[in-house]
Amino acid sequence: MMTEHLKLISSVRCFEGEQRRYEHLSETLNCTMQFSVYLPPQALKGESVATVLWLSGLTCTDENFSAKSGAQRVAAQLGLALLIPDTSPRGDQVADDDAYDFGKGAGFYVNATESPWVDHYQMYDYITKELIELAHVQLPLNGQLSISGHSMGGHGALIMALRESNRFASVSAFAPIAHPSGCPWGVKAFSGYLGDNRETWREYDAVELLRAGKKCPPLLVDQGSDDNFLAEQLNFTLLKEAVAEHGVLAELRLQKGYDHSYYFIASFIEAHLQFHSRYLKR
């Protein structure tokens, strides 16, 4: 796998660093994948840098965060790389669904076990094993890693940090789907990808993992009070309760007047990257 070839698709100058997009053949997903990476100016001068892995939400690709968040300015100042995967496998041979919240663009960061999804939808292993290792072998990254994400990607960031707590220095999320086993988005996705046995869903549910005593790295969560998905889909209150019950080093903030959009992310991304930088540089 580590001889895998990265094809550079694009590279643009950004705050004295480079915003790049790569293509590669994924053995884990059995298809061609693309991912984005921001390399700060320090990396272009020969320094190996720490990385924040960003997981995007429903309907996104690897390009939404890099184009809309404004994160590069802060990443350049802090000397952080931003590694941004896609949200699902891609290609004509990959199974899909007509709905926006299932299939392509909605991989939910799980390893599917049900047909036809099992053939390609192994997003958990793709990110935690293949992509992270590939990026660290072929790019100037120093092995220090934190993780963040939004909505479905916030769910992904939380479960990866809880299941791989020794790998990530810190974790943050914007409006995460915190208890997917108990919301319409999650029930639909888990039923399709994982089947009807709800016991298997627990491994991909942040609230359930916290209740089971999984260790969590330092955590920061921002949630908008005017998020139209807050009541039905996100379970922010259950996340707060689970964090409090298990003594997690965490700050969970309800931001008055903010919604679910990238305007919300852009408003607080600087604080999140500064949060990660503190733990990555220890």
Side-chain angles (χ1 to χ4, degrees), residues 4 43 62-63 73 76 89 104 152 159 171 175 198 207 236 265:
E4 197 173 344
D62 59 292
E63 294 188 289
R73 176 184 61 82
K104 292 179 186 177
M152 180 185 72
I159 63 167
V171 54
R198 286 179 172 253
V207 168
F236 181 65
I265 296 170

Side-chain angles (χ1 to χ4, degrees), residues 133-144:
E133 188 174 354
L134 178 64
H136 279 80
V137 168
Q138 301 207 22
L139 297 171
L141 311 178
N142 67 13
Q144 293 180 292

Side-chain angles (χ1 to χ4, degrees), residues 4-142:
E4 197 173 344
H5 177 65
L6 284 183
K7 178 183 178 182
L8 182 64
I9 299 173
S10 64
S11 179
V12 294
R13 196 75 167 170
C14 186
F15 293 103
E16 301 305 315
E18 289 184 5
Q19 181 67 49
R20 299 179 181 178
R21 198 171 191 222
Y22 287 99
E23 181 178 276
H24 73 109
L25 180 62
S26 168
E27 294 182 4
T28 305
L29 302 180
N30 192 28
C31 64
T32 297
M33 292 295 289
Q34 296 177 343
F35 69 92
S36 294
V37 62
Y38 176 69
L39 294 178
Q42 297 87 338
L44 303 186
K45 296 174 182 176
E47 180 181 340
S48 293
V49 297
T51 306
V52 175
L53 172 64
W54 172 269
L55 304 183
S56 296
L58 287 167
T59 74
C60 290
T61 70
D62 59 292
E63 294 188 289
N64 295 75
F65 179 75
S66 60
K68 296 180 179 181
S69 70
Q72 294 92 338
R73 176 184 61 82
V74 184
Q77 293 171 352
L78 297 173
L80 296 175
L82 305 173
L83 179 61
I84 313 160
D86 202 347
T87 53
S88 75
R90 302 284 179 174
D92 293 340
Q93 78 278 24
V94 174
D96 197 10
D97 188 90
D98 291 336
Y100 78 95
D101 55 356
F102 193 69
K104 292 179 186 177
F108 263 83
Y109 304 104
V110 304
N111 289 334
T113 57
E114 301 299 299
S115 180
W117 317 103
V118 65
D119 293 338
H120 298 283
Y121 285 75
Q122 305 295 313
M123 288 298 293
Y124 187 92
D125 279 356
Y126 168 67
I127 290 168
T128 61
K129 296 179 180 179
E130 184 176 13
L131 180 64
I132 289 175
E133 188 174 354
L134 178 64
H136 279 80
V137 168
Q138 301 207 22
L139 297 171
L141 311 178
N142 67 13

